[in-house]
Amino acid sequence: MRAPANDGPSPPASPGGGLFSGTTARGGAAEQVSDAAWLAAMLDVEAALAAAQARIGLVPAEVPAALAAVCRPELYDPAELGRAAAWTGNPVIPLVAALRERVDPGLRRFVHYGATSQDVNDTAAMLLARRALAPILEDLSACAGACARLAAGHRGTVMIGRTVLQHAVPITFGLKAALWLSALDGARAGLARVPLPVQYGGAAGTLSVLGDRGHEVPPLLAAELGLAETVVPWHTDRGPVARLACALGVSAGTLAKIANDVKLLAQTEVAEVAEPTGPGRGTSSAMPHKRNPVGSMSVLACVQRIPGLVASILGGMVAEHERAAGPWQAEWETLGELLRLTGSAAAWLREVLEGLTVDAGRMRANLDLTRGLPMAERVVAGLGGTPRAREAVDAACARAVDEGLSLREALLADPGIPLSAEEIDAALDPAGALGSAATFVDRALAAHHNGTGAGP
């Protein structure tokens, strides 16, 4: 069976099997959190640890090369290591055993020297996160760039603002896109600032196997891997993982907010924007006419699971003493899921925003649907903003709704409204009721281009 064509890039195969990968494993992050990627990160940590220790003479000079030769992912089977981990509690233990079997017997004692399994697993998690964050941050930047273009291009495109899903007052689509832009800039900045520290503390955080020199290793290991240094081992201080999870949650929520706006604006009855299209995209198995917002709904599908995953990570902060029994182990897949789903959402929204079609004419038509009623606030202001003015305009609005009139007709028919037809027309002109919308657009664009945009 041949799949329908799509104008977007093909998603990568899901590390979990592929059936749902088109939705939940889009973009580059999925590949970076697969079982193979976890294994590669663990091996990189073991090799880097030997290199760091050799630099200060804690292990023989030949150990790094010997270990690097066997720290090749293709030599090991993740599934086999996973089966062995069922008996040992984590996959590092069978991996270290396999590494020792492959090096010279005289060097085996220096494999994983002074480390505990959590050192390797935690450091690998931070390394994995750094690698997965690269495509996520790139997609977030691209989303922000698309929003900047929309904000600049539609700085003066008038549309109705909606509060509590009802018509409110006029805004511009440029302002809506500027809000998206500012939120994306803030989410990206927060995610980019999250420190990803190395972990090396040995059995219980003292590195006693290395005598009084253990503290010299973490800075060197951090330099080898390009990770942040740490003041002390953080085996049961799960703040580093929790901060990463929360930043991913904020980014995901930002992506979902924008996707939700697009989804609502693309409804048939609204039709103010449309997602990119292509043969087979957005079709229904039953209704040939459908053009479903595939990108937006895929973003929302990915993000739906993320709050629960973040909560799981936060729950794991309640760790026991110097090594957790259960909470730490629950982080492994959870963190990978967070990175994969956030990455997929970012990749989907990038495609949506870069190909978004905006219908300015439809926006104006929808603004006019309520026949001037959204301008009632401005009429009150034109009458002095007094309680009596509010009562008069309220009455005119009620009459307009009850009798099917425009607000202009209702105002002109009310002798208690001391405004001329020209003054009423001026008050009812949406283009004259945009306040500081253009200034806010300009400020968001300036902050974005100057690199200072970080949300409210």
Side-chain angles (χ1 to χ4, degrees):
M1 178 178 177
R2 184 176 179 181
N6 191 307
D7 64 336
S10 298
S14 167
L19 184 60
F20 302 109
S21 64
T23 297
T24 62
R26 198 175 186 87
E31 183 181 354
Q32 299 297 336
V33 297
S34 66
D35 286 350
W38 270 105
L39 173 60
M42 290 175 180
L43 291 170
D44 287 344
V45 173
E46 293 287 0
L49 178 61
Q53 292 170 332
R55 286 177 61 184
I56 54 176
L58 288 176
V59 301
E62 62 268 29
V63 171
L67 199 53
V70 300
C71 282
R72 304 202 314 271
E74 65 271 18
L75 299 177
Y76 309 93
D77 180 2
E80 182 179 335
L81 292 171
R83 285 190 291 271
W87 297 103
T88 60
N90 71 73
V92 175
I93 295 173
L95 176 61
V96 170
L99 286 171
R100 286 176 173 153
E101 285 296 316
R102 291 179 179 273
V103 300
D104 184 272
L107 301 179
R108 287 175 182 171
R109 65 183 290 259
F110 299 112
V111 174
H112 193 69
Y113 189 50
T116 190
S117 299
Q118 188 171 354
D119 291 332
V120 174
N121 207 103
D122 279 350
T123 303
M126 296 295 100
L127 190 58
L128 193 86
R130 193 195 70 194
R131 291 168 176 173
L133 284 177
I136 294 175
L137 292 171
E138 179 183 345
D139 284 336
L140 287 173
S141 291
C143 287
C147 286
R149 291 188 292 274
L150 290 168
H154 293 277
R155 182 175 180 271
T157 300
V158 182
M159 66 181 297
I160 188 64
R162 296 173 172 93
T163 60
V164 201
L165 294 177
Q166 305 296 309
H167 279 206
V169 297
I171 62 170
T172 65
F173 185 68
L175 179 62
K176 183 181 286 287
L179 173 66
W180 297 346
L181 170 62
S182 182
L184 284 165
D185 279 343
R188 188 192 183 284
L191 193 55
R193 284 195 301 264
V194 174
L196 302 174
V198 73
Q199 174 78 283
Y200 185 59
T206 65
L207 291 171
S208 58
V209 170
L210 304 183
D212 61 357
R213 299 191 64 192
H215 64 281
E216 299 176 33
V217 177
L220 299 174
L221 180 58
E224 288 283 340
L225 294 171
L227 296 175
E229 294 184 30
T230 181
V231 176
V232 295
W234 46 278
H235 291 142
T236 50
D237 169 15
R238 306 315 294 170
V241 182
R243 282 186 283 274
L244 173 59
C246 288
L248 287 166
V250 169
S251 296
T254 300
L255 295 165
K257 184 273 182 292
I258 299 170
N260 203 46
D261 280 357
V262 171
K263 175 188 74 175
L264 294 171
L265 293 172
Q267 289 183 104
T268 303
E269 296 85 353
V270 180
E272 293 178 359
V273 304
E275 287 195 3
T277 188
R281 181 185 174 113
T283 58
S284 163
S285 61
M287 297 168 283
H289 67 282
K290 292 295 291 295
R291 184 178 173 182
N292 294 321
V294 172
S296 296
M297 73 182 190
S298 295
V299 173
L300 293 164
C302 290
V303 176
Q304 182 75 20
R305 294 166 55 192
I306 287 177
L309 295 171
V310 174
S312 178
I313 294 289
L314 293 177
M317 295 185 73
V318 188
E320 308 90 355
H321 299 302
E322 282 67 54
R323 183 81 80 254
W328 167 60
Q329 291 81 357
E331 285 179 2
W332 306 340
E333 288 186 320
T334 304
L335 181 59
E337 288 277 280
L338 269 171
L339 289 162
R340 176 172 60 83
L341 291 169
T342 303
S344 187
W348 270 114
L349 191 66
R350 175 179 183 172
E351 184 198 48
V352 168
L353 292 174
E354 289 183 338
L356 194 69
T357 300
V358 179
D359 190 337
R362 181 72 175 195
M363 288 178 175
R364 181 55 196 245
N366 286 339
L367 173 59
D368 292 337
L369 281 175
T370 40
R371 295 172 295 189
L373 289 174
M375 305 305 300
E377 180 185 43
R378 194 155 185 255
V379 176
V380 173
L383 290 171
T386 64
R388 180 171 295 183
R390 172 61 187 262
E391 291 174 5
V393 176
D394 280 352
C397 289
R399 182 179 180 187
V401 172
D402 292 342
E403 299 180 17
L405 304 174
S406 69
L407 181 56
R408 181 180 190 276
E409 291 169 329
L411 291 170
L412 288 172
D414 188 340
I417 303 291
L419 295 175
S420 67
E422 292 75 13
E423 289 172 325
I424 290 175
D425 287 340
L428 296 180
D429 181 9
L434 298 174
S436 298
T439 300
F440 289 141
V441 170
D442 294 342
R443 288 173 61 178
L445 289 170
H448 173 71
H449 293 308
N450 294 336
T452 58

